[in-house]
Amino acid sequence: MKEVLFKEKFPQLNLPECNPRITEEEGRLLIFDSIRKKHLVLTPEEWVRQHWIYFLVEKNQYPKGLLVSERGLTYNKLQKRTDILVRNQEGAPYLLVECKAPNVPINQKTVDQAVLYHFKLKSNFLILSNGFSHIFLKYDFTRNQFLQEKNLPKAPFSH
């Protein structure tokens, strides 16, 4: 793929640059997923997901072993997939990151989709991101509502 077309489809995001391993096979671009330990078709959404994985693990010391990428779940008899799920040291859902392609706006529809996943998984934190805009939410279990946060939650470690 020509450099200009690549940068148009996979722009520099509002996340640390991660220098992913990208290869081409049978005319398709593939990106290496360090969580699933395999090459995946590079889509704009996968571009955002891999930047988030890098940001969590390399820049914020989230233990790689606590991350799950593209985990299936069933909601209203429909098969859905979470983008990134971070578990705490006890294995309970801690943080859910819902990634969208850079051209997909983070709006109420996006929030509603992620909230459905949250209610199925019961994570403490929820992040919505298209690589440019990020929304950080913390779930208040006593008041049954989300509160907007300014920053990424600290990595889950038991003390």
Side-chain angles (χ1 to χ4, degrees), residues 68-129:
V68 179
S69 181
E70 287 270 293
R71 177 183 183 269
L73 68 95
T74 304
Y75 189 82
N76 285 340
K77 299 182 183 172
L78 297 172
Q79 275 302 117
K80 301 288 185 182
R81 289 194 170 279
T82 58
D83 286 312
I84 302 168
L85 176 64
V86 179
R87 296 189 175 280
N88 64 19
Q89 301 290 64
E90 291 75 39
Y94 175 75
L95 166 65
L96 180 60
V97 182
E98 183 59 32
C99 301
K100 295 297 179 192
N103 65 337
V104 175
I106 302 299
N107 56 25
Q108 191 60 49
K109 182 180 175 190
T110 316
V111 172
D112 291 345
Q113 176 191 6
V115 167
L116 290 177
Y117 295 169
H118 160 80
F119 282 117
K120 184 75 176 171
L121 296 167
K122 309 265 190 280
S123 61
N124 297 26
F125 297 94
L126 178 59
I127 296 174
L128 297 108
S129 175

Side-chain angles (χ1 to χ4, degrees), residues 129-148:
S129 175
N130 63 7
F132 293 115
S133 300
H134 320 296
I135 296 176
F136 301 98
L137 301 170
K138 178 180 183 175
Y139 192 70
D140 183 334
F141 286 93
T142 57
R143 293 176 15 205
N144 286 330
Q145 69 182 41
F146 282 100
L147 306 171
Q148 190 155 0

Side-chain angles (χ1 to χ4, degrees), residues 18-23 30-42 45-54 57 64 67-71 81-85 99:
C18 72
N19 223 1
R21 290 193 318 203
I22 297 174
T23 58
L30 304 175
I31 188 167
F32 186 74
D33 182 329
S34 63
I35 302 303
R36 290 182 273 178
K37 295 182 178 25
K38 66 180 185 177
H39 284 89
L40 306 168
V41 174
L42 179 56
E45 183 179 316
E46 193 63 49
W47 181 247
V48 173
R49 184 173 20 256
Q50 293 306 317
H51 276 75
W52 266 100
I53 289 170
Y54 175 82
V57 174
K64 191 187 279 189
L67 273 71
V68 179
S69 181
E70 287 270 293
R71 177 183 183 269
R81 289 194 170 279
T82 58
D83 286 312
I84 302 168
L85 176 64
C99 301

